[in-house]
Amino acid sequence: MTALRGLWPEMQDTCTSLGLMLSIVLFMGLARVVTRQQLNGPMAHAFVLEFLATFQLCFCTHELQLLSEQEPLHPTWPLTLIYFFSLVHGLTLVGTSSNPCGVMMQMMLGGMSAETGAIRLLAQLIGALCSRYCMGALWSLGLTKYHVSERSFVCRNPIQVDLPKAVIIEAVCSFIFHSALLHFQEVRTKLRIHLLSALITFLVYAGGSLTGAIFNPTLALSLHFKCFDEAFLQFFIVYWLSPSLGKLMLIFFFNLKLLVAKQAHLLKIC
């Protein structure tokens, strides 16, 4: 009983954090419903939905990062939360990417116009920064003992390896994730979301202790804004250029595969 009483404050803090994340998911879901019903115009529609999606992703990731830095009751607890909220985002953020690399890939493959892509990228940037400042204001309320406003003003550098290795890790994570997005398109929606959530959890497990395994430029900016301010070049290369490099590699191999398939088809005809 004494042990349970000792654990109870920790459980309260965890439940409060989980409640905040689920509340923001519900609130963003309501905002998306209102947007689809009331807002006219494809550009405004795309901007608001991408803003809401990015805000939700960054908000929840801030709180997940906070929880993962505490002493977990079980070693797999942080990974379980990552899988669960990846599943939640996959179910609720359909039609948005919340990742500049995803938008750029669609633009380069001809699935999105340049105007729509620019609107979505702007929405992601604003959503990422807004979520960061909202989290700072929320943490200042001290709802749990881990919510400290000073946290948002400190650079918590997640890069634990030298620059070349960090670049490779983020590029490979981006390549694998976007490759899965591309190849899972034909899979049933419910199964695809579970597969992508499991993949995200695995990538975070494999590279989280080395670079954070973020592979999302806007999410990295939101999580580590102060680090970009203090060491911009390093963070720009690792968290902006590296995921873009992984995405470009994927597009190159995808186009190469199409070219080989086309040549094989022509040879059969001849």
Side-chain angles (χ1 to χ4, degrees):
M1 183 65 70
T2 304
L4 288 175
R5 288 177 180 173
L7 287 174
W8 178 241
E10 301 290 338
M11 293 174 64
Q12 278 186 314
D13 289 340
T14 300
C15 289
T16 300
S17 291
L18 292 175
L20 288 172
M21 288 186 280
L22 292 175
S23 296
I24 203 67
V25 169
L26 293 174
F27 183 76
M28 292 295 107
L30 178 61
R32 281 189 291 273
V33 171
V34 173
T35 298
R36 291 189 177 99
Q37 292 179 347
Q38 303 296 329
L39 194 62
N40 296 320
M43 290 299 180
H45 195 263
F47 178 87
V48 175
L49 290 181
E50 198 69 46
F51 170 83
L52 295 173
T54 305
F55 187 95
Q56 175 182 315
L57 175 66
C58 293
F59 184 101
C60 292
T61 307
H62 273 286
E63 199 67 28
L64 280 174
Q65 187 180 61
L66 187 68
L67 284 175
S68 67
E69 292 175 0
Q70 316 313 321
E71 188 65 29
L73 299 176
H74 194 277
T76 60
W77 176 239
L79 294 176
T80 303
L81 290 178
I82 290 170
Y83 176 82
F84 174 75
F85 277 96
S86 297
L87 197 62
V88 169
H89 296 322
L91 290 169
T92 59
L93 304 184
V94 178
T96 57
S97 66
S98 307
N99 189 331
C101 293
V103 172
M104 292 171 64
M105 185 170 70
Q106 292 183 57
M107 292 170 62
M108 295 182 73
L109 293 176
M112 182 182 296
S113 67
E115 293 80 5
T116 303
I119 287 293
R120 288 181 180 271
L121 290 174
L122 179 62
Q124 290 174 4
L125 177 62
I126 296 174
L129 294 177
C130 285
S131 70
R132 175 177 179 81
Y133 289 110
C134 285
M135 290 307 297
L138 182 64
W139 286 339
S140 67
L141 300 177
L143 298 178
T144 75
K145 69 177 181 180
Y146 306 119
H147 287 176
V148 181
S149 60
E150 289 77 11
R151 175 187 173 85
S152 60
F153 301 105
V154 178
C155 171
R156 296 175 178 270
N157 193 338
I159 303 175
Q160 303 300 319
V161 293
D162 54 32
L163 185 60
K165 291 181 180 178
V167 168
I168 292 172
I169 291 168
E170 288 294 316
V172 169
C173 286
S174 179
F175 178 88
I176 293 173
F177 176 70
H178 288 98
S179 178
L181 281 177
L182 197 60
H183 289 89
F184 288 171
Q185 288 180 354
E186 302 302 322
V187 180
R188 288 187 300 110
T189 302
K190 291 182 179 180
L191 178 59
R192 181 173 70 247
I193 292 172
H194 280 281
L195 290 173
L196 289 173
S197 298
L199 178 62
I200 292 171
T201 305
F202 169 75
L203 292 175
V204 172
Y205 172 76
S209 61
L210 303 175
T211 64
I214 300 172
F215 51 91
N216 183 334
T218 52
L219 180 58
L221 181 66
S222 183
L223 292 175
H224 305 294
F225 183 77
K226 289 300 296 182
C227 297
F228 276 91
D229 184 40
E230 297 177 10
F232 177 79
L233 184 59
Q234 180 188 25
F235 278 73
F236 175 78
I237 293 173
V238 173
Y239 293 117
W240 287 1
L241 290 186
S242 297
S244 301
L245 176 62
K247 180 259 304 175
L248 290 174
M249 289 170 56
L250 172 62
I251 293 175
F252 171 77
F253 285 117
F254 178 76
N255 288 329
L256 182 63
K257 180 181 177 181
L258 291 179
L259 180 62
V260 170
K262 184 177 180 179
Q263 289 180 340
H265 179 68
L266 291 174
L267 288 174
K268 285 182 180 180
I269 294 176
C270 296

